[in-house]
Amino acid sequence: MNSIWKGKKITLSNGKTVVEKPSLVPLITLIILIFTVISMKVTKFDFYALATRGDQFFVILKGMFPPDLSFLNRVWAPLFDTIKMSLLGSLVGAIVSVPLALLASANIVHSKLITGFFKLLFSILRTLPTIVTALIATFIFGLGTMAGTLAIFIFTVAYVGKLTYEQIESLDMSTFEALESMGLTRFQAFRYAIVPEILPTFLSTTLFNFEGNLRYASILGYVGAGGLGIILNEQLGWREYGNVGTILVVLIISVAIIESISEYARKKLQ
């Protein structure tokens, strides 16, 4: 037991004794266990309640299947609203993120004040939960898909912008500098040296972000931001689990189709 904390002694063939560096795994495991116990006490996690009432989860699932297909006609319009919100928010957000990512890239903009400001901006935008942004937007634009689209737009700017400026900062700038020294403007050098390097990853990131936004958009209706979330919240409140099952099946199929198309497109870009 003592060797775990102090390190194991090893005698070499030449008679010399060395001490192996002790492993940090036992200490890390102990810390994780302590924080797990503390977290359970703080959150009032109850194993007894989980054991005695956990079966209610399956009762609700059983109520969702088979889905009530007569409710299907009410699902199409909110579904298309959800897709439109995620598509428009992702597309516009990705476009806007490019110039902001450039301003945050230290190897493109040599002012620490400017790059620091835009990096801080990305950090602030990323910390805002999408559903909170949508809630704020509903107070400005009212209930409807405009609020949801704006929330998705803000999240996309933060997500795609951060990954893009990090990729730009990791590039070898020798080609960019060589083109500038040949007389090309900074924009032209960026067009021919940087864009071809970041474009495949940028498009792949945008597509992946769109997949995630489709799922986020489906719950934004809980705060009145339009889409499937409105009728999902409504039917859950009325305990119409058959209708909830229909909504979830349609959403799962739609997400699976879009993810398949997106995955195929990303593979073509690589």
Side-chain angles (χ1 to χ4, degrees), residues 12 16-17 30 39 58 129 150 162 166 170 219 230 238 248:
L12 303 179
K16 185 177 180 180
T17 301
L30 179 62
S39 300
F58 297 99
L150 180 63
K162 174 180 170 52
E166 286 183 345
S170 67
I219 63 170
I230 289 180
W238 291 347
L248 292 180

Side-chain angles (χ1 to χ4, degrees), residues 35-242:
F35 278 101
T36 300
V37 172
I38 294 173
S39 300
M40 290 172 63
K41 289 185 177 296
V42 170
T43 58
K44 295 182 173 59
F45 182 81
D46 189 351
F47 275 112
Y48 178 77
L50 181 64
T52 56
R53 297 187 55 82
D55 62 314
Q56 295 300 312
F57 176 75
F58 297 99
V59 171
I60 295 175
L61 280 181
K62 186 178 179 181
M64 292 181 185
F65 296 95
D68 185 359
L69 298 181
S70 64
F71 188 72
L72 202 57
N73 289 333
R74 283 198 56 193
V75 176
W76 298 124
L79 173 65
F80 289 131
D81 284 342
T82 298
I83 295 173
K84 286 186 291 185
M85 282 164 42
S86 56
L87 180 61
L88 181 60
S90 301
L91 178 62
V92 178
I95 293 172
V96 172
S97 70
V98 174
L100 298 182
L102 288 177
L103 292 170
S105 303
N107 53 350
I108 299 294
V109 177
H110 301 299
S111 170
K112 290 185 178 180
L113 182 62
I114 295 175
T115 57
F117 171 79
F118 283 98
K119 286 178 179 178
L120 177 62
L121 177 63
F122 282 131
S123 298
I124 293 172
L125 293 179
R126 283 199 321 278
T127 58
L128 291 174
T130 306
I131 198 165
V132 173
T133 310
L135 180 61
I136 296 172
T138 57
F139 287 105
I140 301 173
F141 300 103
L143 303 179
T145 55
M146 179 63 184
T149 304
L150 180 63
I152 291 172
F153 162 79
I154 291 174
F155 174 78
T156 301
V157 169
Y159 179 82
V160 178
K162 174 180 170 52
L163 294 180
T164 301
Y165 87 69
E166 286 183 345
Q167 186 190 4
I168 292 173
E169 287 188 333
S170 67
L171 293 177
D172 181 5
M173 298 298 291
S174 57
T175 305
F176 178 84
E177 293 166 356
L179 290 176
E180 272 195 314
S181 66
M182 291 170 61
L184 272 69
T185 65
R186 201 167 185 77
F187 176 79
Q188 290 173 324
F190 177 82
R191 163 69 179 82
Y192 293 108
I194 305 299
V195 171
E197 293 288 333
I198 68 170
L199 186 59
T201 305
F202 170 77
L203 293 176
S204 179
T205 301
T206 301
L207 288 170
F208 183 78
N209 178 71
F210 169 60
E211 295 173 17
N213 284 342
L214 184 63
R215 290 187 287 272
Y216 297 146
S218 64
I219 63 170
L220 293 182
Y222 275 79
V223 294
L228 280 175
I230 289 180
I231 61 170
L232 184 60
N233 187 29
E234 174 188 275
Q235 298 304 311
L236 278 171
W238 291 347
R239 304 293 192 271
E240 295 288 349
Y241 296 127

